[in-house]
Amino acid sequence: MVERRRILITNDDGYTAEGLQVLADALEGMAEVWVVAPNSEQSGVSHALTLDRPLRLERLGERRFAVDGTPTDCVTLGISSILDGRPPDLVVSGINFGGNMGVDVHYSGTVSAAFEGVILGSPALAVSQVRGEGLSFHHAARFARDLALWTLEKGLPSDTLLNVNVPVGKPKGVRLTRLGVRRYTEGVVEQIDPRGRQIFWIGGGEPIWESIHGTDFHEVGEGYISVTPLHLDMTQLDFLDELRRLGLDWSEQYDAAGG
Ligand code: MN
């Protein structure tokens, strides 16, 4: 008997988020869909893993689970305890409410959950819907389904995921992109609380994006779905060689055998 393919779905907006349910519905039928998602909003938690308290799993339906932890906890628990330790054929994280482009991928719980899937041995996709007037998850869900089928068929290189951002409205098409560059304005807002104490809010200002052709931000801004391949290994290989050329191996000073 041929075993049915398994897809693990998670997100960082929480189990009740519309984007998660729409994604699960879109992928149902092409594989056995397992949903393991945080029981509360976890946006911006990046790759956090809960190590200082036990986690609880709530079964909410057939192959549907909520965890009182982070997106990374969900993938870890999902694969080790719910899927019996066997990596699923695909991990899909999303559909996030809001884009995850440029350096945002480093803060994103959505992207980090997909990376956790990669670390544990599955190909993975992160899917985000940019916010705006008339937002709908319909186009993102349809594209996620097509891309999931493509990825199941073709596979992905090791240590690699595909990061997808979908514009508001009907997409003009699809563009393969690199990460964009963003500058923050007024990143931290300072105010005085009702008791006269100083408070700080992070993320108060509107980000300004450099409009560089071929980046996720630029192409999404032009109305295209962007697909950016991301690599887990952040080693800057060119500079590694350059460091050697610059003599920073310091072998004479630091090698045990050295002087
Ligand atoms: Mn989110």
Side-chain angles (χ1 to χ4, degrees):
M1 186 188 120
V2 180
E3 274 196 56
R4 207 147 174 249
R5 291 186 296 201
R6 302 185 304 171
I7 298 179
L8 175 64
I9 294 179
T10 192
N11 75 346
D12 75 359
D13 295 334
Y15 186 87
T16 57
E18 184 189 353
L20 178 82
Q21 307 302 331
V22 171
L23 178 64
D25 290 346
L27 302 186
E28 199 68 62
M30 62 185 278
E32 206 175 82
V33 171
W34 295 75
V35 177
V36 184
N39 69 2
S40 65
E41 163 81 37
Q42 297 287 318
S43 294
V45 301
S46 188
H47 213 129
L49 189 61
T50 302
L51 298 172
D52 58 354
R53 62 174 176 84
L55 293 168
R56 291 185 193 278
L57 190 66
E58 198 181 345
R59 190 175 183 279
L60 296 168
E62 199 187 351
R63 302 197 292 271
R64 298 291 186 274
F65 301 86
V67 176
D68 61 343
T70 67
T72 295
D73 293 334
C74 291
V75 174
T76 304
L77 217 65
I79 293 177
S80 70
S81 302
I82 299 172
L83 297 180
D84 306 321
R86 285 186 301 121
D89 298 279
L90 185 65
V91 171
V92 187
S93 182
I95 301 166
N96 189 61
F97 176 62
N100 278 306
M101 300 180 278
V103 290
D104 277 346
V105 300
H106 290 284
Y107 305 97
S108 166
T110 305
V111 174
S112 292
F115 264 133
E116 189 62 20
V118 166
I119 289 170
L120 297 177
S122 298
L125 312 174
V127 184
S128 302
Q129 169 64 54
V130 171
R131 297 182 200 186
E133 191 95 9
L135 177 147
S136 148
F137 291 103
H138 170 76
H139 297 293
R142 196 185 141 195
F143 185 74
R145 182 185 169 82
D146 289 344
L147 189 62
L149 279 169
W150 185 90
T151 307
L152 285 170
E153 191 193 328
K154 306 275 186 192
L156 292 175
S158 63
D159 289 0
T160 302
L161 65 78
L162 298 179
N163 186 42
V164 176
N165 282 277
V166 179
V168 175
K170 190 176 187 323
K172 288 185 194 163
V174 181
R175 291 286 185 266
L176 300 176
T177 57
R178 60 178 301 160
L179 292 176
V181 179
R182 187 184 60 178
R183 286 181 291 119
Y184 275 107
T185 58
E186 304 171 56
V188 177
V189 176
E190 298 183 28
Q191 282 183 1
I192 303 296
D193 81 3
R195 295 189 178 85
R197 297 170 300 200
Q198 194 176 29
I199 53 171
F200 301 88
W201 276 67
I202 292 177
E206 280 297 307
I208 295 176
W209 292 84
E210 314 251 346
S211 208
I212 303 165
H213 275 275
T215 62
D216 48 11
F217 175 73
H218 181 83
E219 302 304 334
V220 167
E222 296 288 307
Y224 294 92
I225 295 172
S226 80
V227 179
T228 310
L230 299 181
H231 197 225
L232 182 66
D233 182 349
M234 293 193 284
T235 312
Q236 222 283 37
L237 286 172
D238 291 343
F239 193 55
L240 180 61
D241 287 341
E242 176 74 0
L243 281 175
R244 290 204 178 93
R245 200 184 63 75
L246 291 168
L248 191 63
D249 48 9
W250 284 353
S251 51
E252 296 218 344
Q253 294 100 308
Y254 280 89
D255 279 16

